[in-house]
């Protein structure tokens, strides 16, 4: 658009950004505030961070979250990538159907996904625990991996692969030396997204986690319901930093892999 | 061909077992009943659906609808100008604007909701600030009110509205605007007859995203609304995790999904009808 934006629009946009970011920045500031209760600033401290690392419940939840995130990321990356690769060779009809199925976990409200998995596990007499959380996380993560890898695949033609096969490469060699290096940025950023989603998920985990498999978001929820505490500010600050770092990294890898063609936003 | 099927099977099995089958079971359970201990009894019953017509639950259902629609409308009103601004800004501002809008997606909504507890509570940031400035003499009760819930919802879902609208505005053919101004249309007229209709798909996507997310979000009412307010999603959650009335919870879930689908369909229809009318008018 050549016409310049109206100044009022600029002010509105600035206020909106402030509206979005001030609350988040408040958490970060208050995580360094040397008071347990008051809303006033009482001086700088790192005590709340220190006490986090001494808190057995926090450390346990952290370990649970990391275990779940690592395993679900590996499995969902494998499944999502396999789906993206095989769908490319599918006929038009099969592809549309499978595409719909793979998008389903993105569209279905988390609450429905959570409760239906709870029902399934209870009908199959599977006790709720880390395994059930991992299964749930794989189910929603694999779609995101699929979306990212597919976007990457659609950006590259089939010519290189065909050329390799014409030159006598076996299907495995073609995959290993031609396709894989090309889609690697997609796979890596898909994995990073899966990891972040798993680390951040509350809704689905809430339904399928057992007493022994409390993850960080579930721990935060329980604490927040009891009221505010400076330790939670510190924990939230750390989680914010980790999520944003991972996502920016994913975006960076995807952009660099794409050369000049820039992905403006991550698929969501 | 054979290779691709071999690769596809695990995903297909996984999604059937952990996505499709569970949802079908939920639909099935909604037509069953339960015994005194909360165990499911395998005989056909409409008990779950009948319970829904209790005035208490009908009221909550209505409140959920109103809250979700209100959130959607407010999100649209505040997000459209922002999306419009970003789409019309210089490339540098566009890039930064987009990054700033996308980042909240990746901050846990639990944390974003909690931030408002920090701000709104009696000894919170806002009250402290107002007291300090002398605008009020004693703290105002802001947390655990309807306003707080609405604010929390709008806050959480603004990015869901901004991004699709931005994408629609960005893809628009800008030469149309030049043509309009060459032909003497005012900026408002050009906006009304070109920009707005062209961004309809973005509005549509954003509205659906915000509506569906809001109505399923029991955490915001839980944290910012306290015990007083609840939505259908709160009731569903309680039925499955607390009260153990699964047939009722399942029936509510079916009603919840059906309502969303019907609204999306109606909305889609309305948009298309408007579009046709505009087309004929030209």
């Amino acid at each position: 658009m050549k016409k310049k934006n109206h100044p009022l629009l600029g002010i509105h946009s600035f206020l909106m950004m402030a509206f979005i970011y001030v609350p988040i920045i408040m958490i970060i500031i208050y995580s360094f505030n040397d008071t347990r209760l008051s809303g006033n600033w009482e001086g700088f401290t790192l005590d709340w961070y220190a006490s986090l690392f001494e808190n057995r419940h926090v450390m346990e939840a952290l370990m649970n979250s990391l275990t779940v995130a690592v395993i679900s990321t590996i499995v969902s990356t494998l499944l999502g990538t396999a789906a993206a690769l095989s769908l490319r060779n599918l006929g038009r009809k099969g592809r549309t159907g499978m595409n719909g199925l793979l998008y389903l976990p993105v569209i279905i409200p988390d609450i429905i996904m959570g409760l239906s998995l709870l029902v399934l596990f209870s009908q199959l007499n599977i006790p709720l625990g880390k395994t059930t959380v991992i299964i749930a996380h794989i189910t929603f993560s694999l779609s995101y991996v699929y979306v990212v890898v597919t976007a990457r695949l659609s950006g590259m033609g089939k010519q290189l692969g065909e050329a390799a096969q014409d030159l006598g490469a076996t299907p495995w060699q073609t995959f290993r030396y031609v396709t894989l290096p090309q889609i690697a940025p997609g796979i890596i950023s898909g994995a990073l997204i899966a990891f972040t989603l798993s680390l951040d998920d509350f809704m689905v985990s809430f339904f399928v986690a057992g007493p022994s498999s409390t993850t960080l978001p579930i721990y935060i929820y329980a604490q927040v319901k009891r009221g505010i505490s400076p330790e939670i500010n510190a924990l939230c600050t750390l989680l914010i930093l980790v999520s944003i770092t991972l996502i920016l990294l994913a975006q960076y890898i995807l952009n660099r892999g794409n050369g000049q063609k820039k992905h403006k936003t991550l698929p969501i | 061909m054979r290779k691709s099927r071999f690769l596809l099977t695990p995903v297909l099995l996984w999604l059937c077992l952990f996505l499709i089958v569970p949802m079908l079971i939920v639909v099935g359970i909604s037509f069953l009943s339960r015994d005194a201990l909360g165990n499911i009894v395998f005989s056909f019953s409409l008990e779950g659906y009948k319970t829904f017509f209790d005035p208490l639950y009908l009221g909550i259902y209505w409140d959920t609808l109103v809250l979700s629609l209100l959130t959607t409308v407010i999100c649209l009103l505040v997000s459209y100008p922002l999306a419009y601004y970003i789409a019309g800004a210089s490339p540098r501002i566009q890039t930064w604007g987009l990054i700033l809008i996308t980042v909240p997606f990746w901050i846990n909504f639990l944390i974003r909701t909690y931030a408002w507890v920090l701000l709104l509570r009696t000894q919170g940031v806002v009250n402290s600030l107002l007291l300090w400035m002398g605008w009020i003499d004693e703290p105002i009760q802001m947390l655990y009110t309807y306003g707080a819930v609405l604010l929390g919802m709008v806050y959480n879902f603004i990015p869901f509205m901004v991004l699709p609208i931005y994408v629609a505005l960005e893809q628009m053919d800008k030469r149309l605007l030049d043509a309009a101004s060459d032909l003497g249309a005012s900026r408002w007229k050009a906006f009304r007859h070109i920009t707005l209709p062209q961004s309809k798909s973005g509005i549509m996507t954003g509205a659906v995203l915000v509506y569906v997310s809001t109505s399923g979000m029991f955490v915001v009412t839980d944290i910012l609304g306290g015990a007083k307010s609840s939505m259908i999603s709160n009731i569903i959650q309680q039925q499955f995790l607390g009260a153990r009335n699964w047939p009722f919870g399942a029936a509510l879930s079916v009603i919840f999904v059906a309502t969303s689908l019907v609204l999306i369909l109606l909305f889609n229809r309305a948009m298309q009808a408007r579009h046709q009318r505009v087309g004929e008018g030209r």
Side-chain angles (χ1 to χ4, degrees), chain A residues 77-171:
Chain A
T77 305
L78 287 174
L79 286 174
T81 308
L85 282 170
S86 57
L87 239 67
R88 209 158 83 111
N89 299 322
L90 223 58
R92 177 170 276 264
K93 228 177 180 177
R95 202 187 309 174
T96 318
M98 275 305 291
N99 210 23
L101 182 62
L102 278 157
Y103 266 97
L104 219 49
V106 184
I107 304 163
I108 293 173
D110 288 347
I111 181 172
I112 298 295
M113 198 161 171
L115 68 88
S116 56
L117 279 168
L118 167 68
V119 169
L120 177 82
F121 293 139
S122 94
Q123 296 302 25
L124 295 177
N125 278 323
I126 301 175
L128 298 181
K130 258 178 272 192
T131 319
T132 50
V133 179
I134 291 171
I135 290 175
H137 285 200
I138 294 169
T139 311
F140 64 70
S141 300
L142 70 86
S143 291
Y144 289 87
V145 176
Y146 164 77
V147 170
V148 177
V149 176
T150 302
R152 180 82 191 142
L153 269 172
S154 68
M156 55 181 253
K158 287 185 181 175
Q159 300 95 324
L160 270 179
E162 282 164 4
Q165 300 223 328
D166 286 347
L167 293 169
T170 62

Side-chain angles (χ1 to χ4, degrees), chain A residues 1-5 9-10 12-13 16-17 19-21 23-24 26-27 30 37 39-40 79 82-83 86-87 89-90 98 101-102 104-105 108-109 111-112 115-120 122-123 135 138-139 142 193 197 200 202-203 206-207 217 220-221 224-225 228-229 232-233 236 239-240 243-244 247 264 268, chain B residues 1 4 7-8 10-12 14-15 17-20 22-23 25-26 29 40 78 81-82 84-85 88-89 97-98 100-101 103-111 114-119 121 123 125 128 151 155 158 166 170 174 177-178 181 187 212 216 218-219 222-223 233 236-237 240-241 246 253 256-257:
Chain A
M1 262 174 254
K2 279 179 206 148
K3 301 229 170 71
K4 272 196 72 177
N5 273 320
L9 268 178
H12 171 83
S13 302
M16 287 288 288
M17 288 299 183
F19 176 63
I20 293 174
Y21 280 97
I24 297 166
M26 277 299 161
I27 293 187
Y30 272 73
L37 276 173
N40 300 323
L79 286 174
S86 57
L87 239 67
N89 299 322
L90 223 58
M98 275 305 291
L101 182 62
L102 278 157
L104 219 49
I108 293 173
I111 181 172
I112 298 295
L115 68 88
S116 56
L117 279 168
L118 167 68
V119 169
L120 177 82
S122 94
Q123 296 302 25
I135 290 175
I138 294 169
T139 311
L142 70 86
I193 291 172
L197 285 170
D200 265 347
F202 166 73
M203 286 281 240
F206 188 55
F207 283 93
I220 293 177
Y221 175 73
V224 166
K225 282 207 79 172
I228 72 147
S229 85
I232 287 302
N233 295 340
C236 289
L239 207 56
I240 292 172
S243 308
I244 293 181
I247 284 308
K264 284 229 168 99
I268 27 127
Chain B
M1 210 49 210
S4 74
L7 276 173
L8 198 55
V11 187
L12 205 58
W14 188 281
L15 288 178
L17 184 56
F18 296 118
L19 193 71
I20 306 298
M23 288 199 294
I25 297 180
V26 171
I29 286 182
I40 292 158
V78 297
L82 176 59
Y84 185 86
Y85 176 81
L98 275 183
L100 287 176
I101 287 296
V103 163
F105 269 114
W106 303 101
I107 297 175
N108 199 314
F109 67 85
L110 209 63
I111 298 179
Y114 166 66
W116 284 100
V117 179
L118 208 62
L119 288 165
R121 71 199 180 100
Q123 304 102 322
V125 179
S128 303
L151 181 73
Y155 179 73
I158 282 175
Y166 165 81
E170 225 270 317
K174 273 100 194 169
L177 290 177
D178 294 337
S181 90
R187 281 189 77 167
V212 173
F218 63 86
V219 175
D222 227 19
I223 294 177
S233 48
I236 294 177
Q237 178 248 321
F240 277 99
L241 295 177
W246 285 18
S253 310
F256 164 69
V257 172

Side-chain angles (χ1 to χ4, degrees), chain B residues 243-269:
Chain B
R244 280 196 68 86
N245 188 348
W246 285 18
F248 178 43
L252 282 179
S253 310
V254 172
I255 294 170
F256 164 69
V257 172
T259 311
S260 306
L261 289 178
V262 168
L263 274 170
I264 292 169
L265 219 67
L266 280 178
F267 199 55
N268 215 341
R269 188 79 61 78

